[in-house]
Amino acid sequence: MSHVVSSEKKIGIDAIRFYTPSFAIDLHTIASQRGIDPNKFHVGLGQHCMSVMPPDEDIVTMAAHAALPLIDEQNKRDIHLVLFATESGVDQSKAAGLWVHHLLGLSSSCRVVELKQACYSATCALQLAISYLHMHPTEKVLLLASDNARYGLNTPGEPTQGCGAVAIILSVSPRLVAIEPHQGVVADHVMDFWRPNYLNEAVVDGKYSTKVYLNTLLKCWEEYSRQSGHGFSEHARFCYHIPFTRMAEKAHERLSRSASSQTCATALHSQIEPGLLYSKQLGNAYTASLYIGCASLLENELEDLSEKRIGFFSYGSGCVGEFFSGVVQRGYQKALFREEHQSLLTSRAKLSYEQYKDFFTYQLPEDGGDHTTPVHSAVRFRLLGCRNHERLYQ
Ligand code: HMG
């Protein structure tokens, strides 16, 4: 998808806000429960903590919470396209975005759809939004990416779970990042990670998935750098899909070697580290992870990134990968939510192992009857339960 830039119109990310539920478990707790050295998680995977979904929240409530602070009266008038990316869908037919559209009181003159391709679909949504904005330059697009990453208790993937949502406003003359027109895209049929309709947890060949991730990155980079003419050193910072932060570090080291960059280890580290801070605490949020990483970079990087290029690598198992780039806009600091995001992460209640297990194993009954979810979250939007096969939200 190459965007034909008819004029010098800049299109991209105008605002980015994420949300994660107010419960988390320290990976120390998991490590001691499983009799594992906590350094395996802290150093080996680069993870410290992960958010846990309470029974009365889901991808809809998370996405609504993420978007709420972005929806002022002007944006309500300007948004006519809502794209919802997820691999934790709550209905086979109705787009999760329609519940969010309703909860936020968006305009009825609006296209709303759900997109799926593992962790990649938010990036496809972003590129579709940019093409759409070339045709509808006075409008804005609301991109939602929301997921609950589940592998199961006592599995190798357990310490790489997490949950969260991101809401992104895309527009012409964006305040944060203008997306550039070249991409390196690769699709391949691989079974590294998937979730059949009848399972609540992913089936994953973990070590194989990390190899496919790295190989796909190199192929995407090759195509992106061929098309754009941009070398490694022309990117000031890099954001990767973050299933666990050590994966992004390995990806960056591998890319640097493959691009024959002379960048030293310390400089390589500083090119990605500010972007990993939120994910170390939140865990994997599948479709949202790359963009939570982008918020983390913009909000935690001490250097002024104005007019600097960021390289983005999006990966979704199965698999589709895409490398693309964007340029940070002057004055971006004024459009960030640094304090709000940091307080979301630091104010989460830390669960004991038993509480985590209860949240993890809770399931809204699937018999179509009337059921009320237990109240855990003191938040604006809650999943109340279901009645006659219908999910009910507050
Ligand atoms: P594991 O069994 O924990 O692997 O599974 P391990 O035993 O090899 O240990 C992991 C690392 O910890 C190793 O480092 C060990 O050496 C180190 P490495 O060799 O990799 O550099 N280690 C220690 N370090 C310090 N002190 C210690 C210690 N002990 C060991 N005491 C695995 C790890 C990632 C496979 C597992 O967690 C998993 O299956 N995760 C889920 C799959 C995943 O995240 N894949 C990533 C790529 S695919 C992707 O990103 C897409 C995805 O987001 C889904 C989507 O697209 O929708 C997942």
Side-chain angles (χ1 to χ4, degrees):
M1 196 184 305
S2 161
H3 307 301
V4 182
V5 188
S6 48
S7 59
E8 283 306 295
K9 207 185 287 163
K10 287 181 182 171
I11 301 182
I13 301 176
D14 185 61
I16 185 163
R17 182 80 156 90
F18 79 81
Y19 172 84
T20 194
S22 39
F23 300 96
I25 185 160
D26 209 305
L27 291 188
H28 249 294
T29 312
I30 304 263
S32 64
Q33 180 69 27
R34 307 274 177 246
I36 291 174
D37 176 356
N39 278 333
K40 175 167 183 185
F41 299 160
H42 295 165
V43 182
L45 299 175
Q47 290 302 122
H48 291 263
C49 191
M50 62 191 191
S51 289
V52 182
M53 182 85 86
D56 53 348
E57 289 212 59
D58 69 1
I59 55 160
V60 169
T61 62
M62 289 197 299
H65 283 124
L68 186 66
L70 306 181
I71 306 300
D72 56 16
E73 289 309 312
Q74 185 64 47
N75 281 344
K76 275 190 189 173
R77 279 193 292 277
D78 292 346
I79 293 169
H80 298 279
L81 175 62
V82 176
L83 300 170
F84 196 116
T86 188
E87 54 179 300
S88 322
V90 293
D91 193 283
Q92 291 283 5
S93 298
K94 187 177 169 106
L98 274 168
W99 277 289
V100 180
H101 175 273
H102 169 69
L103 291 171
L104 298 176
L106 296 178
S107 155
S108 61
S109 152
C110 195
R111 295 176 170 96
V112 184
V113 287
E114 188 170 311
L115 297 93
K116 176 174 70 185
Q117 184 1 71
C119 301
Y120 166 73
S121 60
T123 297
C124 186
L126 177 128
Q127 300 293 8
L128 292 173
I130 290 172
S131 297
Y132 177 90
L133 289 166
H134 274 286
M135 283 170 61
H136 303 274
T138 58
E139 295 185 15
K140 290 180 183 167
V141 176
L142 175 61
L143 191 173
L144 302 165
S146 184
D147 269 305
N148 187 12
R150 289 169 62 94
Y151 293 98
L153 302 174
N154 208 2
T155 60
E158 183 180 36
T160 67
Q161 298 177 131
C163 54
V166 73
I168 297 174
I169 302 276
L170 293 135
S171 72
V172 169
S173 307
R175 289 173 298 168
L176 297 180
V177 180
I179 301 298
E180 294 192 296
H182 302 288
Q183 310 101 31
V185 183
V186 167
D188 197 4
H189 171 53
V190 283
M191 297 305 278
D192 59 336
F193 166 110
W194 67 103
R195 184 167 69 83
N197 285 343
Y198 51 84
L199 291 183
N200 289 320
E201 283 91 41
V203 181
V204 59
D205 186 341
K207 300 221 166 111
Y208 175 57
S209 73
T210 62
K211 290 195 178 84
V212 183
Y213 177 118
L214 293 174
N215 290 338
T216 308
L217 164 65
L218 299 190
K219 288 185 201 156
C220 291
W221 166 262
E222 202 175 301
E223 179 57 18
Y224 160 82
S225 59
R226 189 189 65 75
Q227 271 191 37
S228 65
H230 297 145
F232 187 88
S233 62
E234 286 163 87
H235 301 79
R237 299 292 181 273
F238 293 78
C239 288
Y240 292 87
H241 167 55
I242 314 172
F244 50 94
T245 64
R246 186 72 193 116
M247 182 79 237
E249 287 170 353
K250 281 185 179 177
H252 195 50
E253 288 155 16
R254 181 67 72 86
L255 181 63
S256 150
R257 272 204 309 278
S258 148
S260 310
S261 126
Q262 303 301 315
T263 319
C264 70
T266 322
L268 281 181
H269 180 75
S270 63
Q271 285 177 333
I272 59 166
E273 188 58 18
L276 305 182
L277 296 178
Y278 293 158
S279 294
K280 275 184 205 286
Q281 301 301 327
L282 189 151
N284 196 353
Y286 289 160
T287 49
S289 286
L290 171 64
Y291 299 97
I292 291 173
C294 174
S296 183
L297 171 66
L298 297 176
E299 293 172 4
N300 294 298
E301 170 63 61
L302 300 177
E303 214 176 281
D304 182 2
L305 291 178
S306 298
E307 289 171 11
K308 302 258 168 73
R309 175 174 293 117
I310 305 178
F312 293 92
F313 176 61
S314 178
Y315 176 76
S317 284
C319 74
V320 180
E322 177 164 340
F323 200 102
F324 63 101
S325 61
V327 175
V328 181
Q329 301 300 288
R330 276 207 174 278
Y332 69 98
Q333 296 92 337
K334 294 200 262 324
L336 298 173
F337 291 93
R338 190 170 189 272
E339 282 72 36
E340 291 85 345
H341 287 152
Q342 292 186 349
S343 111
L344 255 180
L345 291 171
T346 53
S347 64
R348 289 171 302 169
K350 291 287 173 67
L351 301 175
S352 67
Y353 178 76
E354 286 308 318
Q355 289 169 318
Y356 152 72
K357 200 168 131 208
D358 286 350
F359 278 9
F360 187 87
T361 48
Y362 175 84
Q363 272 222 298
L364 191 57
E366 293 180 345
D367 58 5
D370 292 3
H371 300 285
T372 306
T373 52
V375 180
H376 288 286
S377 311
V379 287
R380 171 89 176 251
F381 303 115
R382 284 186 54 247
L383 171 64
L384 295 177
C386 60
R387 191 183 56 216
N388 198 17
H389 293 289
E390 187 186 337
R391 290 174 91 82
L392 302 173
Y393 293 95
Q394 176 186 53

